[in-house]
Amino acid sequence: MRFFHDAATRIENHAITRWKRSGKKIVGYTCSYVPPEIFHAAGILPVRLRGIETDGMEIGDAYFGPFICSFPKCVLQLAGKGVFSFLDGVLIVPGCDAMRRLDECWRKAGEDHQGIVPVWFEYFDVPHKSEVHGMNWFVQEIRNLIQRIERQFEVSISETALRDSIREYNRGRRLLKAVEALRAEKNLRVSGTDVFSATIAGTVLPRQEYTRQLEKWLADLSEREPLESGKKRLMVIGSISDEIDLFQLIENGTDAVVVAENLCFGVRYEGNEIPEDGDPILSLARHYLETSVCPRMFGKYKQRLALLSDKIERAGVVCVIMQNIRFCELHGSEIWLFQRDLEAVCIPCLRIERVYGPLKETGRIKLWIDAFLEQIAG
């Protein structure tokens, strides 16, 4: 877990430093709609941009203002401080309106803070529907992205290379599916904090290295003694979260363990493999657009609720913690619907509104969690 923990708790982990020193390229991206297989096929390391390690908000507040989700503000803050200087490029995706604004705010900040905008700074559009017109649009966006990568980095991304990358990423998906199967067992062998750290690591590490470590870790889990029995089995859902602090807060010193999550950085689509034959671009487009259950996608609430219900039943979840970042309109609205429908089938839910970043509200959140668990026990 030290390897995964280092990747999950640092912006520039040891693997990124080694990659950079070898002279190879690194590109940061902001959303799970980006197919990292494309960069992998080009020999470029794709790194999901995060906002941890933020210790102030003067730059984020100056360009975004106060009444907006704190995640993109933290990303902009780190960019303004030069934390992302190891990147050779950035790809911004409109996962929500706040993330769309990150594109223009980062560019504007670059006029006042020299060197914070990489030479390759691009925008990758994503439709809000996966019907025929939306799918055709997304396929063309992927083709355009491939062309821009090839021009900027002087590489060639062939269909064969894309299929090889899809195959490599599918290996990781199968391993994460096996980890989820272990989490569903009655006698748990792994904490939610460890699983979450491992999944975050997969978004910031060289893929082959990550897959090898994941295989070793899974083999170790299979031999590990079960954890203390009798813990309440929780699920965590809601706004984007890549801070293991929240999971530690739930699990440390309580009789609870996180056995499932539905988070942008979590194990959301375990085992959902991409076809390794046929047109690789079409396969990527269908996987990243059609299977998405992000609340930004129109008309898919029933699919999102079905996904939660399936995970709850499979993992034996007894209660759900719904966390949303303040001013996150998408999740802040939808968790009320989830609470209504889950409590209707006797799944207790706790809603927590918080600020993204290092948990400055630890005391308040801990009090809520403890009171909720005590209520469940009663």
Side-chain angles (χ1 to χ4, degrees):
M1 280 307 301
R2 285 194 296 270
F3 179 75
F4 293 144
H5 188 271
D6 172 68
T9 55
R10 297 175 59 184
I11 294 293
E12 186 174 356
N13 57 68
H14 295 307
I16 288 177
T17 301
R18 291 196 303 271
W19 185 278
K20 190 69 176 178
R21 286 176 180 172
S22 69
K24 293 183 282 190
K25 303 298 184 181
I26 304 175
V27 169
Y29 64 98
T30 62
C31 189
S32 58
Y33 286 94
V34 174
E37 290 90 344
I38 294 173
F39 293 100
H40 181 271
I44 298 170
L45 174 60
V47 172
R48 183 83 181 266
L49 293 183
R50 307 167 61 199
I52 60 171
E53 301 183 12
T54 307
D55 57 5
M57 202 63 79
E58 66 278 6
I59 297 175
D61 281 339
Y63 294 93
F64 270 108
F67 304 113
I68 198 166
C69 171
S70 47
F71 178 78
K73 290 170 66 174
C74 285
V75 173
L76 183 61
Q77 178 73 21
L78 295 178
K81 291 291 187 179
V83 176
F84 296 130
S85 59
F86 61 88
L87 296 176
D88 298 287
V90 166
L91 190 66
I92 302 294
V93 184
C96 63
D97 193 54
M99 294 304 294
R100 179 195 61 78
R101 287 194 58 205
L102 180 61
D103 176 77
E104 57 201 42
C105 290
W106 197 331
R107 293 179 190 273
K108 182 62 178 175
E111 298 175 7
D112 304 321
H113 305 269
Q114 295 298 318
I116 70 168
V117 180
V119 175
W120 194 76
F121 193 86
E122 297 286 337
Y123 186 82
F124 181 68
D125 215 349
V126 179
H128 289 273
K129 293 184 177 181
S130 58
E131 280 75 9
V132 176
H133 61 285
M135 182 57 63
N136 291 339
W137 174 9
F138 193 54
V139 167
Q140 190 57 49
E141 281 291 317
I142 292 177
R143 294 189 189 280
N144 293 341
L145 175 61
I146 289 174
Q147 292 174 2
R148 286 179 283 172
I149 293 171
E150 289 178 327
R151 282 197 305 267
Q152 174 64 30
F153 298 103
E154 299 180 344
V155 296
S156 176
I157 303 175
S158 66
E159 289 192 1
T160 300
L162 282 174
R163 291 192 187 95
D164 289 343
S165 295
I166 290 172
R167 194 172 295 112
E168 179 63 33
Y169 274 78
N170 278 344
R171 287 177 59 202
R173 293 183 177 101
R174 287 191 291 270
L175 292 169
L176 289 176
K177 183 179 181 179
V179 171
E180 286 297 276
L182 288 178
R183 296 175 85 183
E185 292 180 356
K186 182 178 180 180
N187 296 319
L188 286 173
R189 302 172 189 272
V190 60
S191 69
T193 302
D194 284 353
V195 174
F196 196 51
S197 297
T199 56
I200 292 172
T203 67
V204 296
L205 291 172
R207 196 63 185 186
Q208 284 90 338
E209 185 175 5
Y210 173 68
T211 304
R212 287 195 302 270
Q213 295 292 343
L214 200 56
E215 287 175 338
K216 294 178 182 178
W217 185 55
L218 182 59
D220 174 66
L221 290 181
S222 301
E223 302 296 328
R224 185 180 295 181
E225 290 295 321
L227 302 176
E228 179 184 349
S229 61
K231 287 182 174 290
K232 297 180 181 66
R233 302 169 70 94
L234 271 67
M235 182 178 191
V236 178
I237 69 172
S239 298
I240 188 169
S241 178
D242 62 338
E243 316 118 302
I244 67 171
D245 310 56
L246 180 61
F247 281 64
Q248 290 172 333
L249 200 64
I250 294 171
E251 295 184 326
N252 292 353
T254 71
D255 63 343
V257 60
V258 179
V259 296
E261 75 271 335
N262 188 38
L263 299 168
C264 197
F265 275 88
V267 189
R268 182 176 278 179
Y269 310 113
E270 71 282 356
N272 191 2
E273 298 181 38
I274 302 176
E276 297 174 5
D277 53 3
D279 182 355
I281 293 178
L282 182 58
S283 296
L284 288 170
R286 286 175 173 169
H287 175 80
Y288 285 97
L289 191 65
E290 282 185 345
T291 63
S292 173
V293 289
C294 174
R296 76 178 297 280
M297 299 300 290
F298 291 163
K300 289 196 174 184
Y301 174 74
K302 289 183 178 180
Q303 290 94 318
R304 292 193 282 272
L305 179 62
L307 176 67
L308 293 187
S309 301
D310 179 66
K311 286 196 171 190
I312 287 171
E313 182 177 0
R314 180 159 27 101
V317 171
V318 299
C319 53
V320 177
I321 291 181
M322 305 172 162
Q323 56 81 35
N324 74 281
I325 300 172
R326 196 165 298 145
F327 305 118
C328 175
E329 297 176 352
L330 292 176
H331 290 280
S333 301
E334 188 161 84
I335 60 174
W336 289 87
L337 300 177
F338 283 144
Q339 182 178 16
R340 176 199 66 188
D341 293 334
L342 292 178
E343 290 188 341
V345 292
C346 300
I347 301 295
C349 301
L350 170 67
R351 286 182 289 105
I352 296 176
E353 185 181 70
R354 67 188 184 91
V355 175
Y356 173 85
L359 286 174
K360 302 177 180 67
E361 305 168 286
T362 301
R364 178 174 65 90
I365 295 175
K366 180 66 172 174
L367 182 64
W368 284 353
I369 292 171
D370 288 346
F372 178 62
L373 295 176
E374 184 176 340
Q375 182 183 18
I376 298 300

